[in-house]
């Protein structure tokens, strides 16, 4: 857990390292960082992978050259911070403490990606290390994501704060089968090249949802979901750039958004979604994930920050064995796939999973 005896800042900055060490000591046990980031307080002649180059004053440096070879560039001017890493750009606004660079080193050491470590560092306040729980959990201190399109006027319809068991299913036949077993939240995630048959599958699923008075979400296919009058749609982060969120809101559909860490949660909240999906909690084989598994410790911190602000759904690799630990974080819903679709006895599996939610208020 020690930051000492290795190059954390370049040029060396003993005072910053000492503050970073104090902060890190109060953050608890986290997996060892996969990348040993070096925070460069001045631009090195030959940037390398793992360099995070920081500019706190206007400059004329060639940031594209500096960001080549795996380095990242962070510019903090006024109330705005921009992080560039490869082709990705992360823009934040807010107020931060004088200790933010030391906090950044500490959160990087907790194995957070630079954009998520940056969010936490900007939310850190001097003196937080003296609290019983030093982790940033006051939403008011967190920065906001900038350079986003406006959220739809009027926002999205709300959904229950606790959506409970949330099977994600591949067909209308599966939707009907599971809703018949008493499940009241489900998602159709239809991955198919059968474009002609897709509207029929969605309409059939939506009809089943209406018969059971269930919250039926459609994954990705928002146009067809609107046409069928679905309860809601679920979109990924990349879909926010291409989907007509205003059309979804005008149609009265709920919106669920996938997130994979602090930055994406703040970005998603800008659009006022009906719920946030937090994942992937564990490794999953049902789809290729853009980020490493989050784990229960991170999930618990996400729930602590966002509970009561927006309904939350844990997702990714959750089965009957893992579900009690997931629910212990306080999250109000958990999405499952193979725990239902690959169960030897669907009815027994659904009943057992439902029972695990019965103790939640």
């Amino acid at each position: 857990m020690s930051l000492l005896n290795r190059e954390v800042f370049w040029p060396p900055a003993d005072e910053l390292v000492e503050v970073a060490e104090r902060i890190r000591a109060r953050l608890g046990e986290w997996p060892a960082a996969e990348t040993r980031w070096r925070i460069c307080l001045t631009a090195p002649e030959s940037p390398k992978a793992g360099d995070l180059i920081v500019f706190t004053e206007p400059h004329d440096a060639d940031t594209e050259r500096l960001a080549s070879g795996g380095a990242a560039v962070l510019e903090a001017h006024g109330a705005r911070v921009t992080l560039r890493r490869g082709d990705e750009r992360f823009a934040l606004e807010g107020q931060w403490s004088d200790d933010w660079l030391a906090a950044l080193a500490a959160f990087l050491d907790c194995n957070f990606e630079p954009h998520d470590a940056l969010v936490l560092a900007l939310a850190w306040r001097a003196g937080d290390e003296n609290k019983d729980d030093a982790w940033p959990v006051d939403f008011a201190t967190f920065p906001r994501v900038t350079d986003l399109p406006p959220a739809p006027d009027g926002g999205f319809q709300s959904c229950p704060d606790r959506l409970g068991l949330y099977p994600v299913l591949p067909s209308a036949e599966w939707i009907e089968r599971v809703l018949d077993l008493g499940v009241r939240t489900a998602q159709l995630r239809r991955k198919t090249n059968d474009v002609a048959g897709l509207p029929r599958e969605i309409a059939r699923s939506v009809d089943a949802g209406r018969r059971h008075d269930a919250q039926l979400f459609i994954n990705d296919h928002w146009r067809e979901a609107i046409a069928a009058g679905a309860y809601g749609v679920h979109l990924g982060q990349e879909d926010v750039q291409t989907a007509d969120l205003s059309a979804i809101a005008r149609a009265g559909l709920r919106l669920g958004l996938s997130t994979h860490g602090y930055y994406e949660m703040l970005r998603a909240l800008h659009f006022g979604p009906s719920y946030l999906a937090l994942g992937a909690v564990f490794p999953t084989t049902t789809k290729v994930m853009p980020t490493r598994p989050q784990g229960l410790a991170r999930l618990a911190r996400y729930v602590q920050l966002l509970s009561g602000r927006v309904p939350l759904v844990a997702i990714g690799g959750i089965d009957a064995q893992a579900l009690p630990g997931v629910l212990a974080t306080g999250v109000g819903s958990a999405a499952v796939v193979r725990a239902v679709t690959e169960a030897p006895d669907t009815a027994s599996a659904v009943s057992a999973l439902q029972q695990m939610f019965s103790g939640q208020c």
Side-chain angles (χ1 to χ4, degrees):
M1 220 167 72
S2 176
L3 298 175
L4 301 177
N5 302 318
R6 64 183 178 85
E7 195 173 43
V8 178
F9 294 95
W10 184 88
D14 292 344
E15 185 176 345
L16 277 175
V17 172
E18 290 174 6
V19 177
E21 179 81 358
R22 288 201 303 271
I23 295 172
R24 179 65 187 89
R26 297 288 292 124
L27 297 181
E29 296 290 339
W30 293 90
E34 296 179 15
T35 301
R36 292 295 192 182
W37 288 94
R38 180 179 73 159
I39 299 176
C40 300
L41 306 176
T42 187
E45 285 293 327
S46 301
K48 58 185 180 181
D51 280 350
L52 200 166
I53 305 161
V54 178
F55 294 99
T56 57
E57 300 291 343
H59 63 90
D60 56 3
D62 184 351
T63 55
E64 289 189 11
R65 179 189 69 82
L66 293 173
S68 63
V73 176
L74 193 159
E75 299 177 89
H77 303 144
R80 183 181 177 89
V81 180
T82 303
L83 173 68
R84 290 180 175 84
R85 187 182 181 194
D87 295 332
E88 295 182 291
R89 179 177 175 276
F90 308 91
L92 294 159
E93 282 186 353
Q95 301 297 320
W96 52 83
S97 76
D98 292 340
D99 292 340
W100 75 279
L101 277 176
L104 177 61
F107 289 113
L108 287 170
D109 195 67
C110 294
N111 203 30
F112 282 86
E113 290 295 318
H115 53 283
D116 287 327
L118 177 60
V119 168
L120 289 165
L122 297 179
W124 178 267
R125 292 295 179 265
D128 279 358
E129 69 272 18
N130 298 319
K131 297 178 179 178
D132 290 340
D133 182 0
W135 199 265
V137 293
D138 181 359
F139 192 83
T141 71
F142 276 70
R144 68 180 186 89
V145 178
T146 64
D147 301 342
L148 296 174
D153 292 337
F156 294 94
Q157 294 284 335
S158 63
C159 60
D161 187 56
R162 293 185 172 273
L163 287 165
L165 180 65
Y166 187 168
V168 178
L169 304 165
S171 68
E173 180 182 356
W174 267 108
I175 294 289
E176 292 169 340
R177 186 187 311 177
V178 169
L179 294 188
D180 283 345
L181 293 172
V183 171
R184 289 298 171 263
T185 304
Q187 180 186 136
L188 175 68
R189 186 163 73 189
R190 181 75 170 166
K191 303 297 183 182
T192 178
N193 293 323
D194 180 14
V195 177
L198 181 64
R200 290 195 298 272
E201 281 286 292
I202 290 176
R204 180 177 166 185
S205 299
V206 170
D207 286 344
R210 289 197 186 108
R211 288 197 305 273
H212 292 281
D213 193 25
Q215 290 92 223
L216 193 283
F217 292 87
I218 305 299
N219 184 277
D220 286 351
H221 302 288
W222 57 272
R223 293 182 183 86
E224 293 82 356
I226 291 175
Y231 179 85
V233 295
H234 180 94
L235 300 178
Q237 286 278 316
E238 66 283 357
D239 300 316
V240 172
Q241 302 294 338
T242 56
D244 189 340
L245 299 186
S246 293
I248 296 170
R250 286 195 302 271
L253 274 65
R254 285 80 178 167
L255 174 67
L257 288 178
S258 294
T259 67
H260 311 90
Y262 281 103
Y263 185 89
E264 289 191 1
M265 288 189 293
L266 296 179
R267 184 174 184 265
L269 286 173
H270 165 81
F271 298 103
S274 307
Y275 75 78
L276 291 187
L278 311 174
V281 181
F282 304 110
T284 176
T285 60
T286 60
K287 63 184 296 188
V288 177
M289 299 305 300
T291 58
R292 67 173 69 94
Q294 301 291 310
L296 289 177
R298 292 193 187 194
L299 176 63
R301 289 301 186 182
Y302 301 157
V303 173
Q304 188 178 13
L305 178 67
L306 297 177
S307 182
R309 184 169 295 274
V310 62
L312 302 172
V313 178
I315 190 169
I318 300 171
D319 57 18
Q321 183 176 0
L323 184 56
V326 170
L327 296 181
T329 68
V331 72
S333 179
V336 298
V337 183
R338 290 177 297 145
V340 170
T341 61
E342 296 183 11
D345 184 331
T346 303
S348 295
V350 167
S351 176
L353 293 166
Q354 291 277 54
Q355 282 293 326
M356 296 182 195
F357 283 88
S358 62
Q360 285 197 323
C361 299

